[in-house]
Amino acid sequence: MTILYFAWLKEKIGKDEEQVDPPAEITNIGELVEWLAQRGPGYADAFADREIVRAAIDQEFAETDAPIAGATEIAFFPPVTGG
Amino acid sequence: MIRVQTEDFDVSKEIKALTQGKTHIGGVATFVGLVRDMAGGRSIDTMTLDHYPGMTEKMLAKIEAEAVERWNLDASLIIHRYGPLSPGDQIVLTITASAHREAAFEANEFLMDWLKTKAPFWKREGGKDGDRWVEAKASDNDAAARWSR
């Protein structure tokens, strides 16, 4: 699946997009965050505050317990600040 | 109609284009958001807007459709810019048109309140002390929550 990062998550991780293949036991957004946070110091920093990071599955907002099976694009970003 | 673009927009041209030939429209409300030169006591030189191409358009279309349905609007438009901007620049435009003004005013407030909490844009402000990402405000969430049903 494709993972996208926006705003300061993109800066902390050092990339805006990557392909990942998480193991089968990673089934929802919360577990995916835990798994990604292990990938390096930049990731750990980006996901340090689990409460603040928002997620979208295939361009729809998704909560921590949302299942990721079948998802093609998952995005992580801070709370939005447009307008 | 929704548009996500880097270019500036001309409000009067947009109103004309949107209402052309729709003579049952009795009122048009517009809101224009501008880049401020101050934020939390800090002087701002630049503002850059990041967004999520694809999801942005989807969310704006959803928000607009909700407004059209709830207030039975005759015409509406959301334009949101992204990329590098400067103080005084226009960022966002919402136009709502209806037979009567109440619906136009209310729907316009709704569009802006929802857009601020649901459209995937992120502002980065640059000043003499460097750049920083703008943090979301709790008051924006409160403003959006009043339209919940």
Side-chain angles (χ1 to χ4, degrees):
Chain A
M1 62 181 66
T2 304
I3 309 282
L4 304 176
Y5 305 105
F6 291 96
W8 48 257
L9 277 101
K10 169 170 70 182
E11 288 174 357
K12 289 181 176 183
I13 290 166
K15 58 181 106 175
D16 57 4
E17 182 177 340
E18 65 181 322
Q19 298 295 322
V20 300
D21 191 11
E25 65 264 27
I26 306 298
T27 62
N28 64 30
I29 288 290
E31 290 163 5
L32 181 62
V33 166
E34 296 304 323
W35 184 73
L36 288 168
Q38 309 288 317
R39 284 165 71 91
Y43 291 88
D45 190 22
F47 290 108
D49 187 351
R50 304 279 201 274
E51 295 293 305
I52 205 162
V53 175
R54 303 288 187 265
I57 299 177
D58 293 331
Q59 305 188 349
E60 300 278 351
F61 285 109
E63 299 296 327
T64 308
D65 59 359
I68 61 169
T72 54
E73 181 177 293
I74 297 182
F76 293 100
F77 43 79
V80 302
T81 57
Chain B
M1 246 181 346
I2 63 127
R3 290 206 320 258
V4 182
Q5 61 189 44
T6 52
E7 309 85 64
D8 196 14
F9 49 81
D10 180 328
V11 178
S12 65
K13 266 192 201 157
E14 298 296 346
I15 294 174
K16 261 188 204 145
L18 193 67
T19 57
Q20 192 96 52
K22 297 177 188 150
T23 46
H24 49 288
I25 291 173
V28 177
T30 68
F31 174 83
V32 180
L34 305 176
V35 179
R36 261 193 314 266
D37 64 357
M38 290 288 284
R42 181 170 173 252
S43 164
I44 302 302
D45 302 321
T46 60
M47 173 179 282
T48 308
L49 273 135
D50 191 7
H51 81 114
Y52 182 173
M55 182 170 173
T56 304
E57 289 81 357
K58 226 182 201 179
M59 290 309 295
L60 291 182
K62 224 185 227 185
I63 294 165
E64 186 189 43
E66 174 89 19
V68 168
E69 190 235 297
R70 280 169 79 161
W71 284 275
N72 199 19
L73 299 176
D74 294 303
S76 59
L77 173 69
I78 304 174
I79 298 179
H80 205 303
R81 295 177 70 192
Y82 65 95
L85 299 169
S86 304
D89 283 352
Q90 305 186 117
I91 307 176
V92 61
L93 169 67
T94 51
I95 305 181
T96 44
S98 174
H100 302 286
R101 72 177 185 281
E102 293 85 358
F105 275 132
E106 264 191 46
N108 206 295
E109 276 203 77
F110 166 85
L111 283 184
M112 280 309 302
D113 285 345
W114 268 33
L115 187 155
K116 277 194 163 280
T117 57
K118 294 180 196 286
F121 287 96
W122 300 276
K123 287 178 182 150
R124 186 182 172 84
E125 293 169 338
K128 283 176 187 57
D129 52 345
D131 278 23
R132 62 172 93 133
W133 291 99
V134 174
E135 275 179 44
K137 289 194 202 87
S139 58
D140 286 339
N141 286 325
D142 297 343
R146 72 193 161 118
W147 302 105
S148 290
R149 58 173 184 189

